[in-house]
Amino acid sequence: MSSNEKVALARLLHPQTNTDPIGAKAVLHFWFEECRPWQWFRQRDAFDALMSKRFGSLVESALAGQLASWEKERDQALALVLLLDQFTRQVFRGHQRAYQGDTRALQ
């Protein structure tokens, strides 16, 4: 399945996550409340799988530029940076796509 097809499927399955700030709040809550800093930078297959399951569709949407509206608000912008720069590391670990969002995250 291509990246565009995955994004389209994610929209159908989770339409509110593409435009609703609730998705951003879920990202921030997961990263700063549910996780511990040691989890952010260690390779753990179970953690990677959890992140892929919970946030894979949002990561795809972020990479496709479909969460650009999140850039307007501080908390949403932080969530977008996490999706593009950190969550990609777990979702695409071991693949070149793990770094696909880096340039956009720095902007």
Side-chain angles (χ1 to χ4, degrees):
M1 181 179 294
S2 75
S3 203
N4 289 338
E5 291 170 327
K6 288 179 184 177
V7 169
L9 180 61
R11 279 188 185 163
L12 291 173
L13 296 175
H14 308 285
Q16 80 277 6
T17 62
N18 293 308
T19 57
D20 195 321
I22 291 172
K25 289 178 184 176
V27 167
L28 296 175
H29 185 268
F30 177 78
W31 195 250
F32 294 113
E33 302 295 328
E34 294 180 45
C35 297
R36 299 295 169 251
W38 65 265
Q39 292 175 296
W40 300 343
F41 305 108
R42 289 189 186 163
Q43 180 178 351
R44 298 276 193 249
D45 292 340
F47 186 67
D48 292 353
L50 173 66
M51 290 192 68
S52 293
K53 181 178 180 182
R54 286 182 64 182
F55 299 104
S57 64
L58 276 176
V59 169
E60 291 287 355
S61 294
L63 290 172
Q66 296 172 339
L67 300 179
S69 64
W70 288 19
E71 296 172 9
K72 297 174 186 175
E73 299 291 331
R74 183 186 63 188
D75 288 348
Q76 292 177 347
L78 176 58
L80 181 59
V81 168
L82 287 170
L83 287 171
L84 291 168
D85 183 62
Q86 294 299 313
F87 283 37
T88 53
R89 302 298 196 266
Q90 280 81 24
V91 172
F92 302 116
R93 188 178 301 281
H95 299 280
Q96 189 173 1
R97 287 197 74 196
Y99 307 99
Q100 188 176 349
D102 288 4
T103 301
R104 192 134 176 273
L106 291 170
Q107 295 176 345

